[in-house]
Amino acid sequence: MEYVFRSGSIETGFRSSQPLVDGTKAHQKVQKTYGKNDKKEVYLKTEIPFEEMTFQIDGRCDGLLISEDGSLTIDEIKSTSGSLDAITEDSYPVHWAQATVYGYIYATDNDLDKITIQLTYIQVRTEEKKYFQRSLTREELADFVMDVVAQYAPYARLRLELKRTRDESTKMLAFPFESYRDGQRKLAGAVYKTIHEQKTLFAKASTGIGKTISTIFPSAKAIGEGHLEKIFYLTAKTITRTAAEEAFRLLQEKGLAITVVTITAKDKICFQEQVNCDKTECPFANGYYDRINGAILDILQNETLMTRPVIEKYARKHTVCPFEFSLDLAYAADAVICDYNYIFDPKVSLQRLLDEQRKKSALLVDEAHNLVDRAREMYSATVEKETFLALYRMYKDENEVIAKSANAVNEYLMEKKKQNQQLEKELDEKLVHVVDAFAYAAEEELMRGGEAEELLLNGYFSAQRL
Ligand code: SF4
């Protein structure tokens, strides 16, 4: 649904980082209001033949509401931490699409002439709700679903073809050198066995034995044999990223048909003088989602090694942001070369990777000893007293809730300073409490939109990380 319905620009406005947990709770709150005949979390599945392909569509609809006269409503619940006033019937076509497909499956399976589709939006904090309904006939539902399938088909077909050629090519793939260097065969064998047994291998190998190719070659073989769907080659440095690209290039020259994408950091690959992703400032952000599907099809049809210059070329051709483009490609490619962050950092990881893909991914971590320090950075949080004192001063005449909560954090830290307490084994619950209260107050203000004060944003993000 997302592939077909995404449109518009890259959003830079403030978005809450909370919705996942609150969202689940909010869903349950709506489901608790269901009547005794209503059903929740209904699993629906269907197969749709289309030209030479068969699409398998499945999902869990939030609710199936059964009224006294026997009429049926498919309920799709969405939670928001923003204001419900901003949501109109036509705000999110993708939500209608999702619910309509559930409606189609249910109506077809149960031979119904029509069904009602309902979107329920719930505000996570106030628990206020807003409903929209549409009644659709079986014919309307079928037309809609066939149209979605037809729009998705070119992409699905391309992915299928790429997968077929890839699997075929790995069967004949031989090690790309005439002979193995000392230790190389052992390492390659151990990598292959580890993937096969779904275990973890820590390898210490001396410089110059050709570690990169010895890990990439067996992983590529494992893809062709169905043990893997994806390879992530994770590095801390640009130079080792180039070594991985060269290893893939070599295998491609020997016949391997695999798609590889390199993710380059946003500030390095950005086309603008300064990173400012506001659609009014950056033409590559403006309308990004209107053009991205065309860009993806074009590059996947013509390139297999999508390095930085290749991504830049296609990003310019289709006027799309090269960074977001590389992230979107990462979901489609067989192999991704990137920094550790995109897998391990909870703030920037590739969140949209499907569980299926996660389970069948191999992580090849180059110089894994670096991960200790990097993980410390990724999972550490800092709250600075000065920020909260400044926020208190800034908001004391303007927004009492923010001022009070910022001051509570400031006072807590001041108290700790007086006690000269620098190290505690566990995070103090009181600190979590005052920081949470501030985060809620700040979020309310930020969700109102407009020019967000940088100080407030900084304070909010440092509070969220704790
Ligand atoms: S090109 Fe730069 S400024 Fe534009 S959307 Fe991409 S990262 Fe943001």
Side-chain angles (χ1 to χ4, degrees), residues 19-82:
L20 213 60
V21 178
D22 286 350
T24 316
K25 279 194 220 145
H27 268 59
Q28 288 163 352
K29 288 216 165 98
V30 175
Q31 287 169 333
K32 276 198 183 128
T33 65
Y34 286 175
K36 67 175 185 330
N37 293 330
D38 301 339
K39 294 186 183 134
K40 55 185 181 189
E41 304 296 328
V42 183
Y43 179 70
L44 296 167
K45 185 178 177 201
T46 195
E47 288 194 351
I48 301 178
F50 183 85
E51 295 173 359
E52 80 289 12
M53 296 178 282
T54 301
F55 288 79
Q56 293 184 353
I57 304 180
D58 73 339
R60 216 168 272 282
C61 88
D62 294 322
L64 179 68
L65 315 180
I66 305 163
S67 66
E68 281 179 4
D69 66 2
S71 61
L72 290 162
T73 300
I74 294 282
D75 191 24
E76 187 59 30
I77 307 165
K78 300 289 174 196
S79 56
T80 174
S81 46

Side-chain angles (χ1 to χ4, degrees), residues 261-280:
V261 62
T262 304
I263 303 180
T264 307
K266 192 185 214 174
D267 54 345
K268 285 202 189 123
I269 201 171
C270 174
F271 286 155
Q272 301 288 86
E273 270 186 17
Q274 264 193 334
V275 179
N276 180 352
C277 310
D278 195 298
K279 65 179 176 199
T280 59

Side-chain angles (χ1 to χ4, degrees), residues 121-409:
Y121 289 97
I122 173 166
Q123 211 295 342
V124 286
R125 233 159 291 143
T126 62
E127 293 179 21
E128 202 188 329
K129 298 181 205 71
K130 194 167 188 176
Y131 303 93
F132 299 105
Q133 282 193 344
R134 283 178 189 171
S135 176
L136 295 170
T137 63
R138 180 116 147 246
E139 207 183 354
E140 287 169 327
L141 293 162
D143 286 350
F144 177 84
V145 172
M146 290 316 286
D147 186 46
V148 172
V149 169
Q151 289 192 57
Y152 188 69
Y155 180 61
R157 185 174 295 116
L158 177 63
R159 295 283 305 272
L160 213 58
E161 275 165 18
L162 289 172
K163 188 174 181 310
R164 267 194 217 123
T165 2
R166 178 196 74 189
D167 293 352
E168 210 45 48
S169 75
T170 50
K171 285 192 192 119
M172 307 302 293
L173 187 72
F175 192 65
F177 297 106
E178 289 207 342
S179 61
Y180 284 93
R181 286 187 212 158
D182 267 358
Q184 249 186 343
R185 186 189 294 273
K186 196 173 163 197
L187 178 56
V191 170
Y192 184 80
K193 193 163 176 275
T194 307
I195 292 173
H196 190 65
E197 294 173 353
Q198 299 191 341
K199 289 194 172 153
T200 304
L201 171 73
F202 289 96
K204 186 177 168 191
S206 39
T207 316
I209 75 152
K211 289 190 287 274
T212 315
I213 195 76
S214 312
T215 53
I216 289 178
F217 170 69
S219 309
K221 285 294 255 184
I223 284 197
E225 283 156 22
H227 301 307
L228 274 188
E229 274 293 322
K230 240 176 165 59
I231 304 170
F232 287 94
Y233 193 92
L234 309 176
T235 73
K237 297 184 208 131
T238 315
I239 182 83
T240 41
R241 251 165 264 169
T242 316
E245 285 171 356
E246 285 313 311
F248 278 113
R249 192 190 305 275
L250 188 65
L251 289 172
Q252 286 175 338
E253 281 165 10
K254 300 282 172 191
L256 177 67
I258 197 172
T259 48
V260 186
V261 62
T262 304
I263 303 180
T264 307
K266 192 185 214 174
D267 54 345
K268 285 202 189 123
I269 201 171
C270 174
F271 286 155
Q272 301 288 86
E273 270 186 17
Q274 264 193 334
V275 179
N276 180 352
C277 310
D278 195 298
K279 65 179 176 199
T280 59
E281 299 288 330
C282 175
F284 304 97
N286 190 14
Y288 174 88
Y289 292 106
D290 300 331
R291 297 182 295 274
I292 189 60
N293 289 352
I296 290 178
L297 279 178
D298 190 13
I299 198 168
L300 288 178
Q301 272 159 348
N302 294 296
E303 308 287 343
T304 47
L305 194 58
M306 294 169 273
T307 56
R308 176 177 172 175
V310 174
I311 288 176
E312 286 174 342
K313 182 176 133 194
Y314 283 81
R316 287 205 187 275
K317 180 176 169 193
H318 292 272
T319 325
V320 291
C321 164
F323 178 70
E324 291 294 328
F325 186 29
S326 67
L327 293 185
D328 276 321
L329 287 170
Y331 293 100
D334 302 311
V336 183
I337 303 170
C338 60
D339 186 272
Y340 303 149
N341 287 353
Y342 299 98
I343 291 296
F344 294 112
D345 190 329
K347 295 181 302 303
V348 291
S349 63
L350 296 162
Q351 308 283 1
R352 281 187 288 129
L353 265 190
L354 302 173
D355 269 356
E356 286 295 295
Q357 287 180 313
R358 279 178 211 271
K359 279 186 207 143
K360 293 191 100 181
S361 292
L363 304 181
L364 306 177
V365 187
D366 185 43
E367 302 187 326
H369 55 272
N370 288 324
L371 263 186
V372 181
D373 279 345
R374 291 289 295 275
R376 235 176 239 139
E377 280 165 31
M378 291 173 201
Y379 288 87
S380 292
T382 313
V383 276
E384 285 179 10
K385 192 185 142 322
E386 286 64 32
T387 308
F388 292 90
L389 178 61
L391 278 167
Y392 165 67
R393 289 186 181 140
M394 182 188 265
Y395 282 95
K396 74 178 187 308
D397 300 322
E398 237 179 80
N399 185 325
E400 199 190 341
V401 189
I402 292 187
K404 267 192 177 167
S405 58
N407 198 35
V409 181

